[in-house]
């Protein structure tokens, strides 16, 4: 929030009048030291903003535990790797089986290797059809900027960043007045 305020036109243009960066750095350090004083100016709205943000983070944590996982990686790994491994094994077994058929070596063994290849090919197709659509839907939603519930990136409209309920009052009633009042007199807008 402080960096956003320091980047605003009036503060930035006032600081550009200073030939050294020292004024900007010292103003930043002063504002960090006075964080309690700054947040007190918009305490009610900021407290509400933090509560909504904490609730959104908890909800996000609950959503991430939707699939049964071990250390958060087992289910997604199985969903992606099972069709790949089964498909690769099927291709190898089918090549070996058909190669044995062409070489007229052990017809029973060649038939069993070919049958195992077809079973693995069927396994690859079934696991791909069953397991891949949910991760693909999630990837498409995340790529489009919507969350798991089809809403914004944080899972809803309640928390979108500093421009919402807690951030804007903190910026307008806390950070900006503090920065403007602590600009060196020669730089004040």
């Amino acid at each position: 929030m402080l960096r956003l305020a320091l980047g605003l036109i009036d503060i930035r243009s006032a600081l550009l009048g200073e030939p050294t960066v020292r004024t900007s750095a010292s103003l930043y350090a002063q504002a960090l030291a006075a964080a309690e004083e700054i947040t007190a100016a918009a305490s009610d709205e900021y407290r509400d903003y933090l509560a909504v943000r904490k609730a959104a983070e908890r909800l996000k944590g609950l959503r991430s535990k939707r699939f049964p996982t071990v250390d958060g990686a087992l289910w997604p790994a199985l969903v992606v790797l099972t069709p790949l491994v089964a498909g690769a094994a099927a291709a190898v077994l089918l090549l070996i089986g058909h190669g044995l058929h062409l070489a007229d070596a052990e017809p029973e063994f060649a038939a069993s290797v070919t049958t195992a290849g077809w079973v693995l090919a069927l396994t690859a197709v079934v696991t791909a059809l069953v397991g891949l659509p949910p991760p693909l839907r999630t990837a498409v939603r995340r790529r489009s900027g919507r969350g798991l519930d089809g809403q914004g990136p944080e899972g809803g409209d309640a928390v979108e960043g500093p421009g919402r309920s807690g951030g804007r009052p903190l910026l307008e009633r806390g950070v900006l007045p503090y920065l403007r009042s602590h600009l060196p007199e020669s730089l004040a807008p």
Side-chain angles (χ1 to χ4, degrees):
M1 189 67 66
L2 181 56
R3 289 185 185 168
L4 176 70
L6 284 171
L8 291 177
I9 293 173
D10 63 333
I11 303 290
R12 189 178 45 197
S13 62
L15 290 174
L16 287 177
E18 174 69 19
T20 64
V21 182
R22 222 176 308 145
T23 303
S24 177
S26 66
L27 188 60
Y28 183 81
Q30 286 175 355
L32 282 179
E36 288 181 24
E37 175 187 336
I38 292 171
T39 56
S43 63
D44 294 335
E45 293 92 346
Y46 189 64
R47 193 174 328 118
D48 294 341
Y49 171 74
L50 290 178
V52 168
R53 191 167 184 172
K54 186 181 284 188
E57 287 172 3
R58 269 186 273 141
L59 182 61
K60 188 177 177 183
L62 290 175
R63 284 188 186 142
S64 68
K65 297 179 191 231
R66 194 177 278 185
F67 292 111
T69 62
V70 175
D71 296 334
L74 181 64
W75 179 253
L78 285 175
V79 165
V80 173
L81 290 178
T82 302
L84 293 175
V85 170
V92 168
L93 288 178
L94 286 172
L95 286 173
I96 291 172
H98 288 297
L100 289 174
H101 276 298
L102 291 174
D104 290 330
E106 301 263 351
E108 291 175 11
F109 180 69
S112 65
V113 170
T114 304
T115 302
W118 284 114
V119 168
L120 282 173
L122 180 66
T123 302
V125 169
V126 169
T127 56
L129 290 175
V130 170
L132 289 180
L136 289 177
R137 275 194 306 269
T138 301
V140 168
R141 283 185 188 142
R142 288 189 179 161
R143 185 163 181 91
S144 68
R146 296 189 324 251
L148 294 175
D149 56 359
Q151 294 180 350
E154 292 293 327
D157 293 333
V159 181
E160 276 190 19
R164 285 292 178 173
S165 64
R168 181 169 230 99
L170 179 64
L171 183 67
E172 291 174 355
R173 286 192 237 149
V175 177
L176 287 175
Y178 181 86
L179 290 177
R180 288 181 181 130
S181 68
H182 286 80
L183 281 173
E185 306 215 359
S186 62
L187 301 177

